[in-house]
Amino acid sequence: MQTLLIVEDEKLIRQGIRVMVQRSGVPVENIIECGNGLMALEVLKSQKVDVMFTDIRMPKMDGIELVKAMQELPHQPLTVAISGYDDFSYAVEMMRGGVREYLLKPVDRESLKTILEKLEQEVEAAYEEEQRKSLSDRERLRRIMESEEMSDSERQAIGERLEGQLFPSYVVCCFAGIPEPAAEKKGVFLMLGGLPAGSICIVESGSCSFLLKNELGDACAGVSREHSGAGELRQAYLEAVQARKMAFCRCEHICRFYALRCGTADIKAGNEAEPTTEEIKKQVQTLGTDRYEDCQYQASLFLQKVKRGVYIPAQMERYLNALLEQIPASYAAIFKGQQEQSGFATLTDLQRQLTDIYSYRSLDEYAEALSQWLGLVHEKTDNRSDEFRNRQKLEKAIRYIRENYSSDLNMAVVSNHVSMNYSLFSQEFKQYTGENFVSYLRNIRMEEAKRLLAQTQLRVVEISQKVGYENEKHFMKTFKSVYGVSPSEFRKNVEYTEGA
């Protein structure tokens, strides 16, 4: 449970009960002590208390008067009466008034523990039911705000069931990128997260300034006009979203709907035409080239114009959506390769985040994330280009080996021929062919030697020279290590097989 209140005029008894509670094994976040009923009543008025232990006989306001007075409060704690034997009849009377349990003095530790465990279960059950109802009510609020197709009659019917959830007069604030504010626990506002435009606060009109100043920090928030009743909630939401978009684009802390340039829901576009699809495609093609910074520059320039008001949010959304769609389409191989990797955010993951434009606090924050992503795409594209160039060089090297295997060939000669670093060539050649250079060259020479032994009458020494071995003994030793027989034995086996 969250809060437990101990009301007892004798300090030693009060402290003793506190220690028993702390040692009971029942988790209690906050324990408050009061010396009389008046003090306890002020606590009950100012905050929610889950369980209260109260003595009966106390100065100023006794336990019986306290229990009667708290019946007028919106939240009443589960109450345990503490009495001496002589006051037992009063404890019974208090139980008729709603007190759940009683304890006789001196308080027995095991009895207190048993009662606490029982009340803890009730508190948890009540909390879960409250959460269930709260979630259900919030889903209804969400439907009212999000649904474009909901009829006015359906909206009104849901609104009538939710009137108790709304403030008599409220505004809606829309923002993103900050933790859930703490003020909601004080009943200042209702908060809904996960909406397309970000998080929504339905704020009591008189508390709006406090919320904006103390809870939303440096978030770029949009604020609707003042409204009342569930019937106006959809309109308040749309106003807050539009104001939020303008606050986001201008990087302003607060943008109020009534302060926008026009009084309608649509803001007129600027005089400058937005980039066409073909222009965006050309911009994208510079990624992976020496001019890749052009793409970043063009994107940055566009967003600067958005910030200055040259383009409106709708134009910005169209441009960014086109850019974020075109890049994966143009560099599909890179994005596919990234999807097969795990353990870190892939290009596709980051693209998905960027598609959710208003999940960022401001346009400045978004612009920085976009620039980093474009740089990462270029890096992967550039690496891909290097891989392609290396593959072309390796294919050229293999052609050269097949054409020149009869000469005095080695890896230094071949790597120089294709203008590739010796160490890099060695690494890439093995990865590309599955063999190291020496094995690859030997196998080509041995295959050709087999062919010449089977199809010609050339002497072994002549074949040795034709496949690149100046030393006949070295050739014969190599041939036997590969095929298990000498060149002469191999030729005899071929002749025998053909003769049979």
Side-chain angles (χ1 to χ4, degrees):
M1 68 184 68
Q2 186 171 3
T3 303
L4 181 143
L5 175 62
I6 302 172
V7 192
E8 166 64 59
D9 60 318
E10 294 187 36
K11 185 176 180 180
L12 290 177
I13 296 177
R14 194 167 67 238
Q15 292 178 342
I17 294 173
R18 180 189 188 99
V19 171
M20 290 182 192
V21 171
Q22 292 172 331
R23 294 178 178 177
S24 68
V26 176
V28 180
E29 293 183 21
N30 185 29
I31 300 176
I32 302 173
E33 298 180 29
C34 291
N36 59 65
L38 281 179
M39 292 173 60
L41 187 60
E42 292 303 312
V43 171
L44 294 174
K45 288 179 179 179
S46 64
Q47 62 181 289
K48 180 180 177 181
V49 174
D50 298 308
V51 172
M52 179 175 70
F53 285 85
T54 181
D55 190 14
I56 295 179
R57 292 185 181 274
M58 294 181 293
K60 297 184 180 179
M61 177 183 280
D62 62 27
I64 297 174
E65 294 172 318
L66 173 60
V67 170
K68 289 180 179 178
M70 75 180 191
Q71 302 303 315
E72 304 298 323
L73 301 178
H75 178 81
Q76 300 165 28
L78 301 178
T79 303
V80 179
I82 301 174
S83 69
Y85 182 79
D86 294 339
D87 297 324
F88 179 72
S89 59
Y90 294 111
V92 173
E93 180 184 345
M94 291 173 68
M95 292 185 70
R96 294 194 187 104
V99 171
R100 306 301 299 275
E101 301 284 347
Y102 72 89
L103 286 169
L104 286 174
K105 295 180 180 179
V107 176
D108 177 70
R109 180 176 299 175
E110 288 302 318
S111 298
L112 182 142
K113 178 181 178 181
T114 300
I115 290 174
L116 263 184
E117 289 173 343
K118 178 182 177 181
L119 296 182
E120 165 69 4
Q121 292 178 359
E122 290 191 42
V123 169
E124 285 300 312
Y127 175 78
E128 290 175 4
E129 178 64 17
E130 183 179 337
Q131 288 295 104
R132 187 189 65 77
K133 289 182 178 179
S134 176
L135 289 173
S136 177
D137 289 341
R138 287 174 186 231
E139 282 305 311
R140 293 189 182 102
L141 288 171
R142 189 190 303 275
R143 282 187 61 200
I144 288 179
M145 289 188 287
E146 279 191 293
S147 179
E148 298 179 3
E149 302 177 356
M150 185 183 295
S151 66
D152 291 339
S153 58
E154 184 181 4
R155 199 183 306 279
Q156 187 62 35
I158 294 176
E160 288 175 357
R161 291 199 298 271
L162 295 175
E163 287 295 344
Q165 299 293 319
L166 294 175
F167 308 103
S169 177
Y170 63 84
V171 298
V172 172
C173 295
C174 180
F175 57 92
I178 65 171
E180 181 176 331
E184 183 178 14
K185 297 176 182 178
K186 302 173 185 177
V188 175
F189 63 83
L190 297 172
M191 180 175 176
L192 297 174
L195 290 161
S199 296
I200 293 294
C201 283
I202 305 171
V203 192
E204 189 177 20
S205 296
S207 302
C208 183
S209 297
F210 174 85
L211 174 77
L212 296 173
K213 180 179 179 181
N214 297 286
E215 298 287 353
L216 298 191
D218 59 352
C220 296
V223 183
S224 74
R225 293 176 296 184
E226 190 172 316
H227 291 270
S228 62
E232 297 183 19
L233 191 55
R234 168 73 175 169
Q235 179 60 33
Y237 169 72
L238 294 176
E239 292 175 3
V241 169
Q242 183 172 316
R244 152 69 181 157
K245 290 182 177 182
M246 292 305 296
F248 173 90
C249 291
R250 296 171 179 173
C251 298
E252 295 177 350
H253 175 40
I254 301 296
C255 182
R256 299 180 185 274
F257 180 79
Y258 62 72
L260 296 180
R261 288 184 297 172
C262 64
T264 64
D266 296 315
I267 299 176
K268 296 180 180 178
N271 295 325
E272 188 169 333
E274 60 192 276
T276 64
T277 302
E278 289 303 314
E279 289 172 335
I280 294 174
K281 286 182 179 179
K282 291 179 181 179
Q283 176 184 340
V284 167
Q285 291 305 315
T286 63
L287 289 173
T289 71
D290 293 339
R291 297 186 299 110
Y292 82 95
E293 291 181 348
D294 288 353
C295 184
Q296 288 182 312
Y297 172 75
Q298 292 297 329
S300 176
L301 181 62
F302 180 89
L303 295 182
Q304 287 174 18
K305 290 181 178 180
V306 172
K307 190 173 180 179
R308 297 200 309 267
V310 175
Y311 297 118
I312 63 171
Q315 292 174 301
M316 176 192 70
E317 293 163 17
R318 285 194 294 269
Y319 168 80
L320 291 175
N321 287 333
L323 183 68
L324 294 170
E325 289 174 5
Q326 187 60 45
I327 290 175
S330 298
Y331 303 99
I334 298 170
F335 279 78
K336 182 179 179 181
Q338 283 279 299
Q339 289 173 354
E340 296 170 356
Q341 302 180 42
S342 61
F344 60 94
T346 65
L347 290 175
T348 304
D349 295 330
L350 298 173
Q351 178 212 12
R352 192 177 297 112
Q353 293 174 19
L354 288 166
T355 302
D356 190 4
I357 299 170
Y358 297 106
S359 65
Y360 294 81
R361 292 194 189 197
S362 68
L363 185 61
D364 285 345
E365 183 178 273
Y366 183 91
E368 182 178 352
L370 177 63
S371 178
Q372 291 176 352
W373 183 73
L374 292 174
L376 185 59
V377 173
H378 163 71
E379 179 184 329
K380 300 299 181 183
T381 305
D382 199 37
N383 290 343
R384 191 81 175 186
S385 298
D386 287 342
E387 292 173 7
F388 178 73
R389 287 191 290 269
N390 287 341
R391 187 169 64 250
Q392 287 184 314
K393 290 181 178 181
L394 291 169
E395 290 172 353
K396 181 179 178 181
I398 288 171
R399 288 195 301 270
Y400 184 77
I401 293 169
R402 290 187 175 279
E403 292 170 0
N404 296 277
Y405 63 85
S406 61
S407 63
D408 185 15
L409 208 59
N410 57 50
M411 191 164 67
V413 171
V414 178
S415 62
N416 286 335
H417 177 74
V418 297
S419 302
M420 199 168 181
N421 174 273
Y422 183 91
S423 299
L424 178 62
F425 178 83
S426 175
Q427 177 184 338
E428 294 293 330
F429 186 90
K430 185 173 183 180
Q431 184 175 352
Y432 186 73
T433 64
E435 301 176 271
N436 61 40
F437 179 85
V438 172
S439 297
Y440 187 85
L441 177 59
R442 181 198 63 194
N443 290 338
I444 287 179
R445 286 172 167 172
M446 292 298 102
E447 285 296 321
E448 179 60 13
K450 276 176 58 179
R451 188 187 70 80
L452 292 173
L453 286 167
Q455 298 178 10
T456 74
Q457 295 301 316
L458 293 172
R459 292 180 300 161
V460 171
V461 64
E462 292 175 315
I463 292 175
S464 171
Q465 293 172 350
K466 280 186 173 292
V467 296
Y469 289 89
E470 292 295 330
N471 188 314
E472 179 187 359
K473 291 183 178 180
H474 184 203
F475 166 69
M476 292 192 305
K477 182 179 180 180
T478 303
F479 191 94
K480 187 171 184 178
S481 69
V482 173
Y483 297 115
V485 295
S486 68
S488 299
E489 289 172 332
F490 177 82
R491 176 173 271 175
K492 286 181 181 179
N493 289 337
V494 170
E495 291 173 351
Y496 176 80
T497 303
E498 290 177 349

